[in-house]
Amino acid sequence: MIKRSISFFFAFVLCVGLSFGQKQPKYIFYLIGDGMGLNQVQAAEVFLASQQNKNSTVPLVFSTFPYATHATSHSLSHGVTDSGAGGTALAVGYKTKNGVIGMDSAGVKAYESIAYKAKKKGMKVGITTSVSIDHATPASFFANQKDRDMYYEIGQDIIKSNFDFFAGAGFLKPETNAKGEKVAPLIPQLEKAGYTMLYGMNDFNKVKSGKNKLILMNNQGTSPVSLKFAIDQEANDMNLANITEAAIKTLSQGNQGFFLMVEGGKIDWACHANDGAAAIQEVLDFNKAVQKAYDFYQKHPEETLIIVTADHETGGMGVGNGGSTLRINNIKNQKISQEALSTKINELREKNNSASWEQVKALLSEQTGLWNNVKVGEKEEKEIFAAYEKSFVNHQNETAKSLYANNDKIASLAINALNKVSSISWASGSHSAAYIPVYAIGVGAENFSHKMDNVDIPRTLGKVAGWEF
């Protein structure tokens, strides 16, 4: 009995010694593709291969990481999560009901996110996104609110966080609270709390190094709702890779190490609209942000951990819709998002509300390649023509509503027709319960190699980083 006790004691000491001796990452990247299921990744890789006339895939940066798995994403209240509960699970390691940010389902108990845990350990913290800073997924890392639509209150939670860097398009309701009341503007409160407000990359590039706390937003005069879809962006538009690079530059000053969350928020938006080309371009845009993290990792391989995942899948995207031959290459003909195409159709209607079918058809062909480069099915052409007649002949405009857009019906049908001939299918315009991907590289990455649930991801990260849950 004594020998057994002594053996147990030494085994215990050895285990404790090993656990304390485990290397912990100094730099942590947590990149979340909102709405990015396994098929969104697959679609992007098949599309890249098709550009090289290959019947295979061309891997994204993160799909080459040495550790990869998948995870479930259900919320506490539903089999299909929303971004509030999904973001909360990834941020705090606990499930909650749909619509809640960083709290239990009753909206009573506030949970501490891994971003706060990193800050407590003395690390710098950055929270970034391609949509508004107060949107559900980024909010889950710094806010505790019973409803994801409490945008003003979520924005105020930035002050208590004292995090070092925030970036995104802007704030949705900086002067109106959850009750719809006009209240003290948010921006002056953030400035009083020590944050320097920056608008666009030109502003950021003027900042002297060592500035304490920064909030980087879209250029003044542009939308605070989101960055433009990647497929619509022009040279001077701020993009997610810009934001990621700015965050790394800011957070890497000093020697504290950092935790950086980056959200590719518009993968979700494109998939809600069932816009295949826009969704693929958003994944590729997100991949460019991951590349910035990977470039940093290559300089600090013994100190860095990168995790890439998603909060949920959106749209039930399918790669292949009946035939054995994938024709995803056809999607390259689409020049702009469904949203931008809808705007162009509305502009044509304003100039000539009785435009001919040939004029509308020419516009669609120019922007999507339909008829000119891509054959349109008879059924799809009839549907588009019927929508044209209703709009331009009978002047009864129809729209196709998705969660984040209310697009012209003609645009929606045209994009649907292009999806179909590009071997892309959709189950719905909402979220699904499909598995989310998980990729990891760096210090502790080997812990992300088995099937997980979404709450396991931050909990495992916490163990690797030495944070208490």
Side-chain angles (χ1 to χ4, degrees):
M1 179 65 76
I2 293 173
K3 285 184 178 180
R4 185 180 298 174
S5 298
I6 292 171
S7 299
F8 176 82
F9 173 78
F10 280 111
F12 174 78
V13 170
L14 180 62
C15 288
V16 171
L18 285 173
S19 65
F20 277 109
Q22 285 178 344
K23 193 169 180 64
Q24 295 172 354
K26 181 177 180 180
Y27 308 107
I28 299 171
F29 292 88
Y30 199 34
L31 299 110
I32 300 170
D34 195 314
M36 187 184 74
L38 294 166
N39 277 3
Q40 278 79 359
V41 177
Q42 171 82 349
E45 294 187 333
V46 171
F47 175 74
L48 289 178
S50 75
Q51 303 304 287
Q52 301 175 21
N53 295 315
K54 292 180 178 178
N55 181 32
S56 60
T57 59
V58 170
L60 302 176
V61 173
F62 54 86
S63 62
T64 65
F65 288 0
Y67 296 96
T69 184
H70 57 276
T72 48
S73 65
H74 58 280
S75 72
L76 197 60
S77 59
H78 294 83
V80 177
T81 189
D82 81 320
S83 289
T88 295
L90 292 179
V92 308
Y94 293 99
K95 289 189 182 291
T96 190
K97 74 175 182 180
N98 286 4
V100 176
I101 299 294
M103 302 188 79
D104 67 358
S105 290
V108 174
K109 181 180 180 180
Y111 294 128
E112 182 181 64
S113 78
I114 52 176
Y116 278 98
K117 294 180 189 299
K119 190 69 174 172
K120 277 186 175 180
K121 287 290 185 179
M123 302 173 84
K124 288 189 174 183
V125 175
I127 306 297
T128 68
T129 180
S130 58
V131 295
S132 65
I133 297 168
D134 49 16
H135 221 255
T137 302
S140 299
F141 286 82
F142 65 85
N144 305 100
Q145 298 293 339
K146 62 184 179 181
D147 193 319
R148 61 178 289 181
D149 292 337
M150 299 174 73
Y151 298 112
Y152 178 80
E153 291 79 4
I154 287 170
Q156 285 188 312
D157 277 350
I158 286 177
I159 297 168
K160 75 174 184 182
S161 79
N162 200 37
F163 293 166
D164 304 271
F165 186 87
F166 289 89
F171 296 93
L172 292 179
K173 294 185 178 179
E175 298 183 6
T176 309
N177 67 15
K179 297 178 182 177
E181 302 164 335
K182 279 284 184 183
V183 286
L186 177 63
I187 301 301
Q189 295 179 54
L190 296 173
E191 289 174 327
K192 187 177 179 181
Y195 286 96
T196 299
M197 315 303 291
L198 305 172
Y199 298 90
M201 294 309 298
N202 286 340
D203 258 14
F204 176 79
N205 291 330
K206 293 175 187 174
V207 173
K208 293 179 181 178
S209 62
K211 228 11 171 173
N212 274 341
K213 299 185 294 186
L214 304 177
I215 297 180
L216 174 62
M217 295 177 287
N218 234 341
N219 294 310
Q220 286 184 308
T222 55
S223 174
V225 175
S226 71
L227 304 187
K228 288 183 181 177
F229 280 111
I231 198 172
D232 298 327
Q233 286 176 2
E234 298 173 2
N236 294 327
D237 293 321
M238 190 164 72
N239 59 48
L240 193 61
N242 294 153
I243 286 174
T244 306
E245 193 168 23
I248 293 170
K249 183 178 178 182
T250 301
L251 300 174
S252 59
Q253 293 171 17
N255 197 39
Q256 303 100 305
F258 62 75
F259 170 87
L260 173 60
M261 191 287 291
V262 179
E263 183 206 22
K266 295 200 77 170
I267 301 170
D268 176 64
W269 293 30
C271 292
H272 275 295
N274 290 171
D275 188 341
I280 287 170
Q281 291 301 325
E282 285 301 315
V283 173
L284 296 177
D285 186 64
F286 176 69
N287 189 54
K288 290 176 183 176
V290 179
Q291 180 70 58
K292 297 295 181 183
Y294 185 65
D295 290 344
F296 183 91
Y297 160 81
Q298 289 183 304
K299 296 173 185 174
H300 309 274
E302 302 301 319
E303 299 178 292
T304 305
L305 171 63
I306 304 175
I307 299 166
V308 177
T309 188
D311 56 349
H312 55 74
E313 193 275 345
T314 301
M317 188 183 199
V319 183
N321 56 3
S324 298
T325 302
L326 292 179
R327 295 185 171 84
I328 205 164
N329 189 46
N330 285 331
I331 212 80
K332 72 180 181 183
N333 292 288
Q334 186 175 326
K335 297 178 182 177
I336 57 177
S337 67
Q338 183 181 147
E339 183 179 284
L341 179 59
S342 181
T343 298
K344 285 188 176 292
I345 293 170
N346 287 332
E347 289 171 351
L348 174 61
R349 188 181 291 111
E350 288 172 8
K351 291 177 183 175
N352 180 8
N353 69 355
S354 298
S356 69
W357 168 237
E358 290 306 316
Q359 288 175 300
V360 173
K361 194 174 175 181
L363 170 60
L364 298 177
S365 295
E366 179 187 358
Q367 301 300 334
T368 67
L370 293 174
W371 294 286
N372 286 348
N373 302 324
V374 182
K375 185 178 179 180
V376 182
E378 184 179 342
K379 175 177 177 287
E380 286 71 38
E381 181 163 2
K382 283 181 179 178
E383 289 175 343
I384 298 169
F385 181 73
Y388 155 77
E389 281 195 313
K390 196 161 189 178
S391 178
F392 284 89
V393 178
N394 300 324
H395 306 297
Q396 298 174 5
N397 297 342
E398 284 187 298
T399 58
K401 186 172 176 56
S402 63
L403 184 60
Y404 295 109
N406 197 18
N407 293 321
D408 186 272
K409 187 70 176 286
I410 298 169
S412 176
L413 290 170
I415 297 303
N416 179 64
L418 182 59
N419 282 337
K420 187 171 183 180
V421 294
S422 303
S423 307
I424 295 172
S425 60
W426 300 93
S428 75
S430 300
H431 299 173
S432 81
Y435 286 129
I436 57 174
V438 184
Y439 306 90
I441 189 171
V443 181
E446 66 278 4
N447 292 280
F448 299 88
S449 60
H450 57 285
K451 182 185 172 184
M452 309 178 86
D453 185 68
N454 54 8
V455 298
D456 298 326
I457 301 170
R459 290 182 183 186
T460 303
L461 171 57
K463 289 177 183 177
V464 170
W467 304 332
E468 290 183 6
F469 266 81

